[in-house]
């Protein structure tokens, strides 16, 4: 199975690795689901989901980081994508998340985001991490709060997302390291 270059991280319940060609079915299912895709670009056909997945894989090759595919250890199933992300023009170094609705409410977003934040601070040398969250996305706001982030106010995304309403949640590396462990 071809996999983009990059590390594999493990948590008690999850395996986080760069995207693989075999992830397309899961990626396309996430982006085809109205609830799952609502705050991460909206519903997209499979061909557009492939382009999004390829952009993440390409970021691994070009930048040495991108979102990880999230694999549930117990089932081996692809359940989402979480991790560092900084497209051209982005308002900062982000750790973002998007999970299939079937994986919601299990603490997976916090578990995976915490592991990828540790990795970004320790291996990428990032000193500040943001989360771009739609003001209506209460579940993601709760994930950010559980990670220790605070709402820094409105943010602006680059085209083609310039009309999207987002708030920038975040914290510094010092705040991250001083928090109570999750």
């Amino acid at each position: 199975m071809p996999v983009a270059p990059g590390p594999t991280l493990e948590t008690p319940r999850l395996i986080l690795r760069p995207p693989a060609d075999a992830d397309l079915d899961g990626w396309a299912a996430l982006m085809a689901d109205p609830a799952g895709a609502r705050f991460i670009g909206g519903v997209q056909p499979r061909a557009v989901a492939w382009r999004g997945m390829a952009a993440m894989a390409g970021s691994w090759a070009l930048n040495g980081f991108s979102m990880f595919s999230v694999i549930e250890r117990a089932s081996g199933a692809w359940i989402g994508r979480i991790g560092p992300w900084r497209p051209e023009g982005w308002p900062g170094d982000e750790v973002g998340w998007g999970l299939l609705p079937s994986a919601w409410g299990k603490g997976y977003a916090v578990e995976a985001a915490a592991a990828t934040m540790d990795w970004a601070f320790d291996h990428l040398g990032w000193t500040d991490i943001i989360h771009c969250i739609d003001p209506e996305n209460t579940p993601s706001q709760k994930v950010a709060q559980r990670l220790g982030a605070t709402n820094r106010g409105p943010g602006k995304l680059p085209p083609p997302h310039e009309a999207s309403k987002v708030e920038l949640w975040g914290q510094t590396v010092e705040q991250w390291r001083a928090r109570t462990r999750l």
Side-chain angles (χ1 to χ4, degrees):
M1 159 180 74
V3 178
T8 296
L9 309 179
E10 297 189 16
T11 71
R13 301 180 299 157
L14 305 170
I15 297 168
L16 310 170
R17 60 155 171 74
D21 190 48
D23 298 340
L24 180 57
D25 287 343
W27 204 288
L30 172 63
M31 298 314 298
D33 184 280
R38 178 177 176 197
F39 297 114
I40 57 172
V43 170
Q44 300 172 357
R46 184 178 178 91
V48 176
W50 180 88
R51 287 178 185 88
M53 187 180 83
M56 295 290 178
S59 182
W60 275 108
L62 295 174
N63 301 311
F65 67 87
S66 189
M67 291 197 183
F68 292 85
S69 281
V70 181
I71 311 300
E72 185 182 50
R73 279 183 185 268
S75 67
W78 186 96
I79 59 168
R81 86 292 189 278
I82 293 178
W85 185 233
R86 185 184 56 214
E88 179 66 27
W90 217 244
D93 295 329
E94 180 173 20
V95 166
W97 47 83
L99 294 173
L100 289 166
S102 61
W104 293 359
K106 299 177 181 181
Y108 289 155
V110 172
E111 185 175 329
T116 64
M117 288 175 69
D118 279 338
W119 185 80
F121 284 133
D122 295 343
H123 296 280
L124 300 176
W126 288 5
T127 59
D128 190 79
I129 288 177
I130 62 167
H131 317 291
C132 300
I133 302 175
D134 186 293
E136 295 181 19
N137 190 346
T138 305
S140 277
Q141 293 169 11
K142 289 179 181 177
V143 169
Q145 289 169 336
R146 287 196 55 208
L147 292 167
T150 57
N151 187 339
R152 296 176 174 174
K156 185 87 172 145
L157 299 179
H161 305 290
E162 68 272 20
S164 298
K165 293 179 184 173
V166 296
E167 295 173 334
L168 302 180
W169 290 70
Q171 62 192 292
T172 65
V173 65
E174 293 82 12
Q175 291 167 323
W176 177 250
R177 291 190 174 139
R179 82 196 186 288
T180 303
R181 286 287 178 178
L182 303 171

